[in-house]
Amino acid sequence: MASKPQAPRQQKHLAVLIDADNAPAAIVEGLFEEIAKYGIASVKRIYGDWTSPQLGSWKKVLLDYPIQPIQQFAYTRGKNATDSSLIIDAMDLLYTRRFDGFCLVSSDSDFTRLAARLREEGLEVIGFGEQKTPPPFVKACDKFIYTELLRADAGEPESSAAVHVETPEPKQTNDAPVAADTTPAEPSLPKIPVKLITKVIDDISDEDGWVFMASLGENLRKLKSDFDPRLYGFKKLTDLIKARNGQFELQERGVTTTGGKVLFVRNRKTVVKQ
């Protein structure tokens, strides 16, 4: 059954607010490439004490991306005045009613209430922070993207899960002892949440068990705001599903207006009704 062509979505206008004290400059290129997937960065502001040498790496990239630096002196040692400045600006921008969403770039849980307040107004909130970001801030956002995936010095994600290959140990001889392998082990990828994916498919599927792939992705993020296929070594959700073909089944139904494939997925355990 062919699907109806989908009308192109209108670009959303987003306000990007960056906490320079809690975000590394190495993410800047990947950050704005990621934001471009969700809309237009109509406002780009970054907050910090620009007299501090600690923000030197950010100063080098501000003109390239044009980001407006907002100066905030530290009034008291140990207190972060930057957070207050960012929150006040966010509320001012909110009441202009010119934006469809906000991108909050920080690993600081102090922005948890701000994210919740923006969502109360019906705006989309996309958070960006390191994996050390406290869960309350992560869950307060509609979507949360870990900045380790965006760093300029990070490797490209694989299109399929990494496979561990056993290598034979070198044979020992009497001539010389075998030196121990001091190569640092690569960090292991987190386990794919197969149970969560299976449950979401069961919850939103049609009578034959099929779910539109885009709908699956949207509902996964509703339940787990930091769900991202790249965390598990895959560029897209489709690649993750294909790698788990023992549990999931894919079906193509025509093409979109942009020439992409219209994909549907279901759990293989689903029994089709006759």
Side-chain angles (χ1 to χ4, degrees):
M1 180 179 67
S3 298
K4 295 181 180 179
Q6 298 177 352
R9 295 182 179 179
Q10 184 177 0
Q11 286 273 47
K12 294 181 178 180
H13 291 275
L14 304 173
V16 181
L17 307 180
I18 305 171
D19 176 9
D21 296 328
N22 284 285
I27 70 170
V28 66
E29 182 177 359
L31 173 67
F32 286 105
E33 287 179 355
E34 188 74 20
I35 290 172
K37 299 177 183 178
Y38 303 100
I40 301 171
S42 302
V43 167
K44 294 182 282 187
R45 298 180 185 177
I46 185 167
Y47 300 79
D49 183 358
W50 298 101
T51 64
S52 169
Q54 296 178 352
L55 301 186
S57 57
W58 271 113
K59 293 177 185 178
K60 297 177 182 178
V61 300
L62 294 182
L63 293 178
D64 295 332
Y65 289 89
I67 311 170
Q68 180 184 2
I70 306 298
Q71 170 62 28
Q72 180 58 60
F73 292 103
Y75 298 126
T76 306
R77 182 184 295 269
K79 299 292 184 180
N80 194 347
T82 299
D83 294 359
S84 300
S85 180
L86 189 155
I87 292 170
I88 291 170
D89 270 13
M91 298 308 295
D92 287 343
L93 293 170
L94 165 66
Y95 291 126
T96 65
R97 306 298 178 186
R98 294 188 291 113
F99 300 96
D100 303 297
F102 281 74
C103 297
L104 304 179
V105 186
S106 179
S107 302
D108 193 338
S109 63
D110 288 346
F111 298 111
T112 301
R113 181 64 187 120
L114 173 62
R117 181 68 182 87
L118 295 172
R119 292 181 68 186
E120 288 173 3
E121 293 292 326
L123 300 182
E124 182 178 16
V125 178
I126 305 171
F128 295 85
E130 297 178 344
Q131 291 188 344
K132 66 180 182 181
T133 305
F137 181 36
V138 173
K139 295 178 181 179
C141 300
D142 291 290
K143 180 174 178 61
F144 197 91
I145 299 164
Y146 292 118
T147 53
E148 285 87 350
L149 300 172
L150 309 177
R151 291 178 64 96
D153 53 4
E156 289 293 323
E158 300 293 335
S159 60
S160 60
V163 179
H164 177 68
V165 180
E166 294 289 344
T167 55
E169 295 183 1
K171 295 181 179 180
Q172 295 189 8
T173 64
N174 295 328
D175 299 333
V178 178
D181 184 7
T182 58
T183 304
E186 295 184 1
S188 58
L189 297 174
K191 187 177 180 181
I192 298 173
V194 174
K195 289 184 178 180
L196 174 64
I197 299 173
T198 300
K199 181 181 184 305
V200 172
I201 293 175
D202 284 339
D203 289 344
I204 66 174
S205 61
D206 61 20
E207 62 180 6
D208 292 329
W210 292 104
V211 174
F212 182 37
M213 183 68 75
S215 298
L216 173 60
E218 291 174 2
N219 280 270
L220 283 170
R221 285 189 290 271
K222 288 178 183 177
L223 292 175
K224 185 175 172 60
S225 61
D226 59 346
F227 177 84
D228 193 320
R230 292 171 294 184
L231 288 174
Y232 312 104
F234 299 90
K235 187 175 181 181
K236 297 180 179 179
L237 177 58
T238 304
D239 299 327
L240 186 155
I241 294 295
K242 287 180 179 178
R244 288 286 184 166
N245 58 7
Q247 284 124 342
F248 307 111
E249 181 180 356
L250 280 174
Q251 185 181 88
E252 295 181 15
R253 301 183 186 179
V255 295
T256 65
T257 53
T258 57
K261 297 177 181 178
V262 179
L263 295 176
F264 284 74
V265 59
R266 71 175 176 183
N267 297 319
R268 282 198 178 275
K269 65 180 183 180
T270 302
V271 178
V272 179
K273 299 179 180 179
Q274 301 295 331

